[in-house]
Amino acid sequence: MQIKSIRGFNDILPDKIKRWHHIESTAKEILELYGFSEIRTPVIEFTDIFARSLGTTTDIVEKEMYTFTDRDGSSLTLRPEGTAGVVRAYIEHALYSISPIWKLYYMGMMFRHERPQKGRYRGFYQIGAELFGSKDPFSDAEVITMLWRFFEAIGISNYLTLEISSIGDDRCRPLYRSKLIEFFSSRKDTLCRDCLRRLQQNPIRILDCKQEGCKQLTQDAPSILDNLCKECSEHFESVQKNLQNIGINFAINPRIVRGLDYYTRTVFEVTTKELGAQNAVGAGGRYDKLVEELGGPPTPAIGFAIGMERVVLLHEKAFPEDFKKQVDVFIAYIGSEAKKKAFLIADQLRRNSIATELDYEDRSLKSQLKRADKLGARFTIIIGEDELKQDKVKLRNMKESTEEEIKFEDIFPKLKNTCSHLSNTTSDFHRNQKAL
Ligand SMILES: [Zn+2]
Ligand SMILES: [Zn+2]
């Protein structure tokens, strides 16, 4: 039998990874501008953490988790989302006792046993942010704005729509819940089988059902926005005003339910029509009760998660050209003495932050130049026997198709300005290297 990966799990090969890096580093940059710090939590937690935070009647917990029994008999689950683990870490390390406000972000793989389709996989990547310690509507607006600015920064916001709503809190939601039960109970025969079950357990989720019959029915269902208590209503008003003030466009969609139980008040989704049925690219909301429910002190919080695969699909649409690895210089050589010299020059250039590549297979000059072309090198250095004797190399500018002979010691000064990545943010490593 041939070896292969598990259904719904993908490899991201080097020809794609540059685009991922670009999106991830843009996200990091924006998140840090807003004061967020990265947190890395394990991809695996006790099952209980997810069951308690996501709610036992949610689709994720009921049918999508990768759960198994550890050797000591404890039940473990591969994380289906990022918030629960971050909240667990927040409580476990008593971060609340160190600072009243925490802004945390994560990037990593999540696992859900769903039916795989384009843009939706069983192993998938998310970037998420969580803000702990503020219930102020300015925080909601800040987090939503940050999400939107990220989509603007990577150039896909034209494909996207931001929708917001409020789903109330434990003061107004129970009343709304009973109104919904009353409404749907008299229309039971139109509900699908899943929704019949939801009717008693989690009636708000009926609003989210994708079945036509249920969809039709929910048109006339009471709206949560007409049933918010005074405080929730004022909070939601204020979130909207704050967004309007800084020019963030949004629509109000009272049918945003979010699949998870932990949300309170503000919920939001960023959707696209470009990817067929899988239309949420990023989503989140406020979860003021979760920290307390998992055993921490009462702590308001708000966050979101972005689906990387869908962002990548939209980014490919917006920027179809290849995101290639950049090679600055390729060194071609003829003969074993020139090979030694090439090896030395490559080391010097790399230590000076110039991306350099060369072959060690002693292939013909022609095939070395072919590879330089294929790698998209901006310059090719050619060292032949004649050049070697004169302490010189040929320097070919591949884009302008010009060539000149220069001395060894002039190579770096010549290439420094056009090629060195020293001014880039990734150059701390190189700066330290030079200091050594
Ligand atoms: Zn239904
Ligand atoms: Zn309320």
Side-chain angles (χ1 to χ4, degrees), residues 191-192 194-195 198 206 209 211 214:
L191 288 176
C192 73
D194 278 342
C195 284
R198 286 174 186 142
I206 297 175
C209 184
Q211 301 284 334
C214 303

Side-chain angles (χ1 to χ4, degrees), residues 168-169 171-172 229 232:
D169 59 5
R171 210 165 343 172
C172 48
C229 67
C232 287

Side-chain angles (χ1 to χ4, degrees), residues 329-334 345 365 369 379-388 390-398 402-408 411 415:
V329 177
F330 189 91
I331 308 178
Y333 59 84
I334 305 158
I345 294 171
L365 183 61
L369 294 178
F379 293 91
T380 301
I381 289 172
I382 302 164
I383 316 172
E385 276 152 14
D386 291 346
E387 284 89 9
L388 199 61
Q390 298 168 43
D391 270 351
K392 281 182 176 171
V393 300
K394 284 203 184 94
L395 181 68
R396 189 176 287 180
N397 184 325
M398 306 291 276
T402 54
E403 195 175 277
E404 59 183 318
E405 281 202 344
I406 60 170
K407 291 197 156 158
F408 284 139
I411 297 174
L415 295 175

Side-chain angles (χ1 to χ4, degrees), residues 4 28 53 60 95 107 109 132 218 222 247 340 392 420-421:
K4 58 176 186 177
K28 273 186 188 171
S53 56
I60 295 180
L95 295 185
M107 296 183 173
M109 202 174 197
F132 294 97
T218 56
K340 282 183 207 156
K392 281 182 176 171
S420 179
H421 299 281

